[in-house]
């Protein structure tokens, strides 16, 4: 399973389980929040490691840029689209409001 798939699955579980949602949110208070988040993922059975998470976002973004206008200088600048970690939490918070 790819990182994006694991994060989607984990997000859906967290949205149905308030305790899990809070545990994931609490990782953001850690001295090293990315490492704490990845450790929690592994504890839950998702093999997510810091560098894998970072590179997955960067790889996804690079692929997206290459697919638009040949990936040249005219490709759109998409800020934040390469940060799966931040996108994961933004989605958790936004969807929890509903």
């Amino acid at each position: 399973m790819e990182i994006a798939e694991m994060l989607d699955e984990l997000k859906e579980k967290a949205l149905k389980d308030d305790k899990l949602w809070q545990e994931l949110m609490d990782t953001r208070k850690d001295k090293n929040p990315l490492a704490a988040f990845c450790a929690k993922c592994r504890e839950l059975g998702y093999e997510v490691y810091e560098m894998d998470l970072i590179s997955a976002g960067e790889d996804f973004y690079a692929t997206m840029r290459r697919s638009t206008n040949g990936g040249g200088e005219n490709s759109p600048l998409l800020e934040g689209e390469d940060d799966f970690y931040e996108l994961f939490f933004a989605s958790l918070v936004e969807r929890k409001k509903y």
Side-chain angles (χ1 to χ4, degrees):
M1 187 180 312
E2 298 291 324
I3 295 286
E5 293 170 307
M6 288 188 272
L7 293 178
D8 283 343
E9 190 174 297
L10 183 58
K11 177 177 54 181
E12 293 305 317
K13 286 182 179 181
L15 290 170
K16 295 174 184 171
D17 182 341
D18 290 337
K19 182 178 182 244
L20 175 58
W21 186 88
Q22 190 59 57
E23 288 174 359
L24 292 169
M25 296 306 284
D26 287 346
T27 65
R28 294 182 65 95
K29 298 173 187 172
D30 194 87
K31 180 180 177 185
N32 189 340
L34 181 59
F37 172 72
C38 290
K40 176 52 85 175
C41 288
R42 291 190 302 274
E43 177 184 313
L44 296 167
Y46 297 96
E47 291 297 313
V48 177
Y49 295 89
E50 294 90 29
M51 286 311 299
D52 293 337
L53 183 56
I54 292 166
S55 68
E58 290 175 355
D59 292 347
F60 178 79
Y61 180 74
T63 300
M64 191 181 334
R65 276 193 63 102
R66 283 192 303 275
S67 72
T68 57
N69 296 325
E73 292 301 316
N74 293 327
S75 295
L77 180 61
L78 305 170
E79 291 188 34
E81 293 295 322
D82 63 341
D83 194 340
F84 280 14
Y85 173 76
E86 288 297 332
L87 289 172
F88 175 83
F89 280 103
S91 179
L92 265 189
V93 170
E94 186 61 31
R95 290 197 40 206
K96 190 68 168 180
K97 291 179 184 178
Y98 296 105

